[in-house]
Amino acid sequence: FFRLLFTTAMESASLLTTTQQSRPWSVVMLVAMSAACAGAVLALTTTGGVSSTALHTAPAPTRPVAVGPLRAGPVYPRGQVAAAAQGRPYPLAAGPSSALPTESNVQWAREPVAQPLASFQGLLPAAVLSLAAGLFGWWARQQQQQLVPLPALGPVDVAVPSRQTQAPVAEWAMCPLAGKADGLPVGETSMAITVQDTSAQAYEGSTLVYMVTQENAKALELSEAQQEEFEGKDGQTAVCYGLPGFKAARVILVGIGEAEKVKARTLRCAVTTAIKELKGRKIKSAAVAFPHGELEAGIHPAGLVASMALQVDYFWDYFISDEARCFHVEGLTLLTPTPESALEEYLVLAKSTLLTRDLLNQRADVATTSWMADRAMEMCKKYPSIEVKVVDFDEMQEKGMGMIYAVGKGAVNKPRIVYMHYKGDPDSTKSLALVGKGLCFDSGGYNLKPTGSIEQMHLDKGGACAVFGTMNAIAAMGLKANVVGALVLAENSIDANSGYPYEIMKSYKGLTVQNMNTDAEGRLCLADAMTYAQKHYEVDKLVTVATLTGAILVSLGHYAAGMFTTSDESAAAFEKASVYADERVWRMPLFQEFVDQLKGTHCDLHSMGAGRFGGSSTAAAFLGKFIEEGVEFTHLDVAGCAGDIMGADDRPWIPKGATGWGPNILYHYVKENIAKK
């Protein structure tokens, strides 16, 4: 009773800070409950002890009472210890005879006995006071609750506003995309590529970029100083005004080495040098002359130059206000007999690469799961051959897609999967599935990423962006193939509703999985999306593209994607496609030992292998557990090559940030192995 009164009094005191209307009732209730507490204390004091007069007038019993030092042991109750500490007698408890005090340390004393009448006379006024004050305080509390209801105990559901419903920020604090993020010009370029069938010497424009072999450099009429500086070696440059034998006012010479050693990589480096030279001199348009010899894998020199020019000129400058830093080459004329129609595929792939870069570079505050889905819907509207299906958060819950649900349930921007079904071959019912991981931001969850890793996690959607760009290229070129592109979009955030380490989830396939680490979330999202693709589309080949593990960086750096497959035919097809695209892959092992590590202790599967070694292989083996019989599976781990924050000195055409890896190799894989000729 005393504890209840005290709690209510403290509650009344805390409510003194409520609205002005309820404050008087809080004061009344506080005073009443304080009086009730005082009455209760008085009642306890009255009944808990007796006066010295009552002690001396009580009849004396004839029991021995210990007043000397007490012996340790269970025969001495707590009251006896307290009595001895206060210097007053207390009756001994019953016990063994050996525990009784001897004649030398006992004396006869009178046992205190409370008088019932005296106790009752002290208790009655205190009880009446306490009861009256309690009733009055209860009535005051009822009056107060009519004005300010007290909060209910237990968990309370709090509606978290989405980013779209947050209050607008001041105009000066807005980023350049504020208010127009939905209209972000993704995949667009200001450079116009044209073709002119003329020689380098006959071109009459103001600026000519001339790619020169060492053999051709000897035939140029250069000054002695220029001959010392420029010999046509790979990477050398020289700028000549009024060069004899050329009609162009300014000729920028770019060396490409010996003629017999010129390859696709040589031209890539030469185009990179040329575009950077033009941008450095603020030259808006120029012509380019280059050798037309055959390159490896049937790569067309004119197409390669056009494609590389667009990619090298690219710079993600939407947030830069200094116009001088945002200079772009606006026109490039290729001096070649090749018709413009032959360049179409190269230009489509280049623009799809830029599209991939734009999507991947966009930061997580703009590129949310809904924003990415909207961009996919916009792209698909251009192509009637693509049917779109979006699986939202509610449908995931209804269908039992427990793993991606667990990953994304703590985020403000809920997960969704966009399935883009391109039907280019109506005569076939089978489809290839390209499933891309799209973590718009990955904090690591409760297994939080450290500083140095978390900052660039907007790049964790590299797989989905690659699939996005690939579907654009396939549809634009009208390949005769059926392809399902899946964008698996989610955010791995920290919240009271976020998934826990060691949480056991039920996948869409029905397997139970223990989440060994919340920072290994990508494989969980992919697995449910893979199952959905196989259940709802007639898939005979499935390829996953994902920035899945940091372990692949340890193995391959930024130079190649890790390729995991049990099909030698599929491995050979991707290796061939990588030559066309200059997007390299390296086959990694999928030993049975990696699969065995995934066996669960209290569930079907663990989401990770045992220990910290072989992480890329165990991740691929986990995905393989969700492949149905008869479906050919290939996994590409692009964690190292999808984004390079520092840039690549050995590949100067790769920009800082998103590289745009994926559309080229995936397109050529589909074209050469899936599409009908």
Side-chain angles (χ1 to χ4, degrees), residues 63-363:
R63 290 200 233 167
V65 178
V67 295
L70 298 176
R71 297 174 56 188
V75 296
Y76 301 109
R78 288 183 299 173
Q80 183 177 354
V81 177
Q86 298 172 8
R88 60 183 178 86
Y90 191 90
L92 287 173
S97 58
S98 60
L100 294 176
T102 61
E103 292 293 336
S104 62
N105 66 348
V106 299
Q107 67 180 21
W108 298 106
R110 296 180 177 179
E111 182 181 14
V113 179
Q115 293 184 2
L117 182 59
S119 299
F120 180 75
Q121 291 174 345
L123 173 63
L124 185 59
V128 172
L129 174 63
S130 176
L131 181 60
L135 290 174
F136 185 71
W138 173 83
W139 177 77
R141 180 177 180 179
Q142 299 304 311
Q143 300 301 316
Q144 183 195 46
Q145 283 183 324
Q146 294 179 7
L147 297 174
V148 181
L150 296 177
L153 299 178
V156 179
D157 293 332
V158 180
V160 181
S162 66
R163 299 178 200 263
Q164 289 77 14
T165 60
Q166 289 177 350
V169 296
E171 184 175 355
W172 58 264
M174 289 184 178
C175 70
L177 287 180
K180 59 177 183 178
D182 289 345
L184 178 67
V186 291
E188 296 183 6
T189 176
S190 60
M191 183 185 293
I193 303 291
T194 58
V195 171
Q196 183 174 334
D197 187 5
T198 186
S199 65
Q201 291 77 6
Y203 178 71
E204 298 180 352
S206 61
T207 303
L208 169 68
V209 176
Y210 187 26
M211 299 181 184
V212 186
T213 63
Q214 288 183 235
E215 293 81 358
N216 292 339
K218 296 177 181 179
L220 297 175
E221 298 181 26
L222 302 175
S223 65
E224 292 184 4
Q226 289 174 332
Q227 289 179 2
E228 292 178 359
E229 295 177 356
F230 185 81
E231 299 176 351
K233 292 182 179 179
D234 193 7
Q236 287 184 336
T237 60
V239 181
C240 306
Y241 295 89
L243 182 65
F246 291 81
K247 295 182 179 181
R250 175 172 47 197
V251 179
I252 301 176
L253 302 176
V254 179
I256 56 176
E258 300 177 17
E260 62 181 11
K261 295 183 179 180
V262 172
K263 296 186 176 181
R265 183 182 178 87
T266 308
L267 286 188
R268 288 188 176 97
C269 292
V271 173
T272 302
T273 302
I275 296 298
K276 290 184 176 180
E277 189 73 26
L278 293 174
K279 295 181 72 172
R281 296 176 177 274
K282 299 295 187 289
I283 300 173
K284 290 187 176 181
S285 61
V288 180
F290 50 89
H292 301 102
E294 184 178 348
L295 300 175
E296 69 270 24
I299 298 175
H300 201 292
L304 180 61
V305 171
S307 174
M308 290 305 303
L310 293 180
Q311 295 184 52
V312 174
D313 183 67
Y314 173 88
F315 181 53
W316 197 66
D317 54 11
Y318 300 113
F319 293 96
I320 297 177
S321 57
D322 185 0
E323 294 184 1
R325 295 177 56 194
C326 303
F327 182 85
H328 294 275
V329 178
E330 297 179 358
L332 203 65
T333 301
L334 308 184
L335 304 183
T336 176
T338 304
E340 289 189 9
S341 59
L343 306 181
E344 181 184 9
E345 184 178 64
Y346 290 89
L347 294 177
V348 166
L349 285 172
K351 292 179 180 179
S352 297
T353 300
L354 302 189
L355 170 62
T356 301
R357 289 178 182 175
D358 277 342
L359 293 170
L360 187 52
N361 275 325
Q362 189 57 262
R363 303 309 195 249

Side-chain angles (χ1 to χ4, degrees), residues 353-573:
T353 300
L354 302 189
L355 170 62
T356 301
R357 289 178 182 175
D358 277 342
L359 293 170
L360 187 52
N361 275 325
Q362 189 57 262
R363 303 309 195 249
D365 59 324
V366 173
T368 62
T369 56
S370 59
W371 186 89
M372 287 287 294
D374 291 343
R375 301 292 75 76
M377 298 291 286
E378 289 176 1
M379 182 198 73
C380 293
K381 288 179 181 179
K382 299 189 301 182
Y383 306 112
S385 54
I386 298 182
E387 293 181 357
V388 183
K389 164 65 177 176
V390 179
V391 180
D392 60 17
F393 187 64
D394 293 335
E395 187 173 353
M396 291 175 186
Q397 189 174 12
E398 292 173 2
K399 291 186 176 297
M401 304 174 78
M403 293 195 294
I404 187 173
Y405 177 86
V407 170
K409 65 183 179 180
V412 172
N413 301 293
K414 299 304 182 185
R416 61 197 68 200
I417 308 174
V418 182
Y419 289 95
M420 301 175 286
H421 191 192
Y422 169 75
K423 298 181 179 180
D425 183 11
D427 298 330
S428 175
T429 59
K430 298 297 183 180
S431 297
L432 163 72
L434 301 175
V435 183
K437 172 190 171 185
L439 264 292
C440 296
F441 191 81
D442 178 16
S443 69
Y446 282 118
N447 295 109
L448 183 66
K449 289 182 180 292
T451 298
S453 297
I454 195 172
E455 294 83 358
Q456 55 188 343
M457 281 301 106
H458 63 281
L459 297 175
D460 208 19
K461 57 183 182 293
C465 295
V467 171
F468 195 120
T470 302
M471 296 301 295
N472 180 75
I474 291 173
M477 293 305 299
L479 295 186
K480 293 183 178 180
N482 297 328
V483 183
V484 178
L487 311 182
V488 189
L489 307 173
E491 286 185 8
N492 187 17
S493 301
I494 300 177
D495 183 78
N497 295 322
S498 298
Y500 299 105
Y502 273 41
E503 177 180 346
I504 296 179
M505 308 153 290
K506 187 174 182 180
S507 68
Y508 187 35
K509 186 177 181 179
L511 296 174
T512 55
V513 178
Q514 180 168 297
N515 191 357
M516 305 301 291
N517 188 306
T518 61
D519 194 21
E521 81 298 326
R523 66 199 69 184
L524 306 178
C525 299
L526 287 173
D528 276 345
M530 291 161 59
T531 302
Y532 186 97
Q534 294 171 95
K535 284 186 176 182
H536 297 271
Y537 303 95
E538 295 187 44
V539 173
D540 59 349
K541 298 179 187 293
L542 191 148
V543 178
T544 55
V545 188
T547 52
L548 202 61
T549 66
I552 203 66
L553 271 164
V554 178
S555 302
L556 303 176
H558 292 287
Y559 305 113
M563 177 177 60
F564 301 82
T565 181
T566 56
S567 170
D568 295 336
E569 180 181 351
S570 180

